[in-house]
Amino acid sequence: MERLGRSGPWTILAVTAVLISGSAVSCSTDVTPATPSPATVVSNASGTVAPVPTETPRAELKVPTDLINKSVDAAQMQLSAAGIPFSTSFTEVEDTPVGVVLEVDPVGGTVLSQGDSVRLLVGKPKEPASNTGGGTTSSLHSDLVGTWHGGVGSNYFLTLSTDGRYEWEHRRVGPFDAGVVQVDGTNLTFTSSVNGKKLNLPFSLSASPEVYGYTFVTLHLGDQSYVRE
């Protein structure tokens, strides 16, 4: 009994150590590392299928139904605001008002396809109105006659005729104004047969030195410059 009593504490310590070691082993074997799950992919027989982007449908453009008998300025502004491409042409009229839309092609209500545009037919006087202002003339000098190209962004064409007619055209819009032009000293006076307005601009001509056999004549009109075609 004495021997057992003396060795008791050591026995208890040994048993405790064994229990602690076993517990540690038990804890380490109970923990299972997490396995990352494979990424989800969409595939077919040929491999991975990427998402197909969808196109935004084009907004439907329809020709307005209220363009007839509108002023050309109002009609052009309406089409521009709607994002509809258009061109303008003129026809001589006698009894109908000038400067208003006579025809629209295609007709109002038509749904436009990609690349389509609207043509406005606008009335202008059959004969150019004479300008009775002092110091003016009804004909133009040959130096001014011809088609001039330039203006803002080089997008404008001005055609001057010997009989005193003029026509303005925009590269994308097409013809948008026409009428009578007369020389008044160092000014050109444009009288529109489309809207009846007058525009008086100072002008001058200059010629560039000859290059490769060509001499370029420039018309300085107001604050813009135009080169003869």
Side-chain angles (χ1 to χ4, degrees):
M1 294 296 295
E2 251 177 1
R3 188 173 7 181
L4 291 174
R6 285 197 299 269
S7 60
W10 296 104
T11 303
I12 294 173
L13 288 174
V15 172
T16 302
V18 170
L19 291 175
I20 292 174
S21 176
S23 175
V25 171
S26 174
C27 290
S28 64
T29 56
D30 290 341
V31 177
T32 303
T35 303
S37 58
T40 302
V41 295
V42 179
S43 61
N44 57 18
S46 62
T48 302
V49 178
V52 179
T54 57
E55 295 184 0
T56 303
R58 175 178 175 269
E60 184 180 85
L61 295 180
K62 186 179 294 186
V63 181
T65 58
D66 58 348
L67 296 176
I68 300 294
N69 293 326
K70 269 191 174 180
S71 71
V72 60
D73 292 339
Q76 290 174 341
M77 289 178 61
Q78 183 175 348
L79 291 172
S80 296
I84 299 175
F86 64 91
S87 63
T88 307
S89 58
F90 299 91
T91 183
E92 294 182 344
V93 294
E94 292 182 351
D95 301 326
T96 56
V98 299
V100 299
V101 178
L102 304 177
E103 295 179 10
V104 178
D105 182 29
V107 298
T110 302
V111 177
L112 299 174
S113 301
Q114 185 73 31
D116 288 349
S117 64
V118 173
R119 184 179 70 90
L120 302 176
L121 183 62
V122 179
K124 68 177 182 179
K126 191 174 182 63
E127 295 294 336
S130 61
N131 191 334
T132 58
T136 61
T137 174
S138 59
S139 62
L140 294 179
H141 192 275
S142 59
D143 288 345
L144 288 170
V145 174
T147 298
W148 303 84
H149 173 215
V152 178
S154 294
N155 285 320
Y156 291 87
F157 296 88
L158 171 62
T159 300
L160 302 175
S161 304
T162 54
D163 61 356
R165 294 174 182 265
Y166 77 88
E167 182 178 77
W168 284 102
E169 181 177 349
H170 189 273
R171 183 188 300 275
R172 291 179 298 175
V173 175
F176 64 90
D177 189 27
V180 176
V181 59
Q182 294 179 315
V183 179
D184 184 5
T186 58
N187 291 333
L188 287 181
T189 300
F190 297 86
T191 303
S192 174
S193 60
V194 174
N195 53 33
K197 296 180 180 179
K198 288 187 178 182
L199 180 64
N200 191 273
L201 296 173
F203 82 96
S204 63
L205 294 170
S206 65
S208 67
E210 185 174 316
V211 178
Y212 299 112
Y214 292 95
T215 300
F216 295 96
V217 179
T218 301
L219 169 64
H220 306 279
L221 187 61
D223 59 355
Q224 301 296 322
S225 296
Y226 303 82
V227 177
R228 184 152 46 196
E229 293 281 284

